[in-house]
Amino acid sequence: MSNIRAVSKIAGVSVATVSRTLSTPDVVSEETRKKVLAAVKETGYKPNLMARNFRSRKSYSILVLVPDLSNPFFAMVISGIQQAAKARGYSVVLGNTMGDAEVERELAHQLHTNQADGIIQLSSRFPLADDDCSEGVTPAVINCCECVDDDSMPTVTLDNSGAAKALTDHLLALGHKRIAVISGPAESPLTAARLDGYRQALTAAGLSFDASLVTEGDYSLASGAAAAGTLLAASNRPTAMVCFNDEMAIGAMHEIRKAGLSVPSDVSITGFDNLSFAAYTDPPLTTISQPTEPSAQKPWPCFLK
């Protein structure tokens, strides 16, 4: 088995530079990183990660708390997290919380047992228990996907209100006046933000908000179909539906056809997320594209709150 000195010799850099490249690759130049990684591959060098972690008191792991691993949007977000983490020498550990706050707290305790250096929370709850938080110390926890309307943790999100308004404006421009909503869970801040954008669009168009046109789903295909069935059963059914994710939109499309109606001739549908299979529905789904992966070409259309 080769050692770090062999890597150093082949790469033409110092042992310290090899060590820095392998532990914190973002602090060295891309040229140096390529040379060192090529030398590592050539020599078959395997760094002693346990020793490195013990010396630095870091795990070089990021814990991602996922409320639903079966949701394809979360799979896209996790892929983006893994790309960014790998580029910086970190691994990603997934915790499937199933939306359970107690499971979140149990998994988040890894932050204080040196099993994870930071947490990315994909739901809106702050995951740490009170006894896991030291006074005056900011825990390494960040939220994404859900918008958090307090200061419990930094949040990466897009303008959900503006995006929902854009979808509703699009349907209004097509001449629709009875526009329904298939929302996410009522307690979610994300649902509140998107409903706000929907209401803004109606107000700007001189239309009143009608609570009977809002039906709650849980982001699944089945809930989208069930919600659409409820809306279609109304005596004055809607002519369009704004769905708060693509899965519910596809479920709604299925239910509309099942009722003998056509999309978009009888009922127009919009989604949210731009999942890969949204382009392959019939007709292709009109949807909002959420950024899920790092891009070198342009900044993400999102903001850090």
Side-chain angles (χ1 to χ4, degrees), residues 92-130:
V92 171
V93 178
L94 299 181
N96 185 20
T97 69
M98 298 165 287
D100 189 313
E102 185 57 36
V103 174
E104 289 175 357
R105 285 192 291 271
E106 289 173 1
L107 291 169
H109 187 66
Q110 294 180 29
L111 189 63
H112 298 284
T113 55
N114 292 330
Q115 295 172 271
D117 295 333
I119 295 172
I120 299 177
Q121 166 68 298
L122 302 190
S123 77
S124 61
R125 282 186 294 264
F126 183 69
L128 294 172
D130 291 341

Side-chain angles (χ1 to χ4, degrees), residues 62-86 92-94 120-123 142-146 156-158 190 194 272-276 289-294 300 302:
I62 295 170
L63 172 64
V64 180
L65 299 177
V66 191
D68 181 7
L69 274 175
S70 67
N71 187 314
F73 175 69
F74 288 136
M76 292 164 61
V77 173
I78 291 165
S79 175
I81 290 170
Q82 287 184 312
Q83 289 179 47
K86 182 180 179 183
V92 171
V93 178
L94 299 181
I120 299 177
Q121 166 68 298
L122 302 190
S123 77
I142 192 166
N143 167 268
C144 73
C145 298
E146 287 270 10
V156 177
T157 184
L158 55 70
L190 185 151
R194 294 181 185 174
F272 210 109
D273 292 341
N274 192 27
L275 299 179
S276 58
S289 181
Q290 287 209 71
T292 57
E293 298 186 351
W300 287 12
C302 60

Side-chain angles (χ1 to χ4, degrees), residues 17-54:
T17 297
V18 173
S19 180
R20 273 196 302 274
T21 303
L22 297 178
S23 61
T24 51
D26 53 320
V27 303
V28 300
S29 69
E30 183 179 358
E31 181 183 356
T32 297
R33 188 160 58 246
K34 286 180 178 179
K35 287 194 297 185
V36 170
L37 293 179
V40 167
K41 184 176 181 179
E42 181 180 337
T43 61
Y45 173 63
K46 304 292 183 184
N48 187 334
L49 297 181
M50 290 184 66
R52 179 197 68 171
N53 296 356
F54 180 78

Side-chain angles (χ1 to χ4, degrees), residues 203-220:
T203 299
L207 299 175
S208 299
F209 173 75
D210 182 352
S212 70
L213 288 173
V214 179
T215 305
E216 183 179 333
D218 63 7
Y219 297 123
S220 67

Side-chain angles (χ1 to χ4, degrees), residues 160-180:
N160 283 283
S161 178
K165 182 178 183 301
L167 283 174
T168 311
D169 284 340
H170 172 72
L171 293 171
L172 289 165
L174 294 175
H176 295 285
K177 295 189 182 302
R178 284 192 61 76
I179 302 173

Side-chain angles (χ1 to χ4, degrees), residues 204-278:
L207 299 175
S208 299
F209 173 75
D210 182 352
S212 70
L213 288 173
V214 179
T215 305
E216 183 179 333
D218 63 7
Y219 297 123
S220 67
L221 288 163
S223 75
T230 299
L231 292 166
L232 293 173
S235 56
N236 187 12
R237 64 171 173 80
T239 62
M241 299 180 190
V242 175
C243 304
F244 283 6
N245 81 334
D246 287 350
E247 282 197 81
M248 291 195 298
I250 293 169
M253 291 172 74
H254 172 80
E255 194 67 17
I256 290 166
R257 289 201 182 89
K258 189 175 161 185
L261 300 172
S262 171
V263 177
S265 299
D266 296 309
V267 184
S268 291
I269 294 288
T270 64
F272 210 109
D273 292 341
N274 192 27
L275 299 179
S276 58
F277 48 74

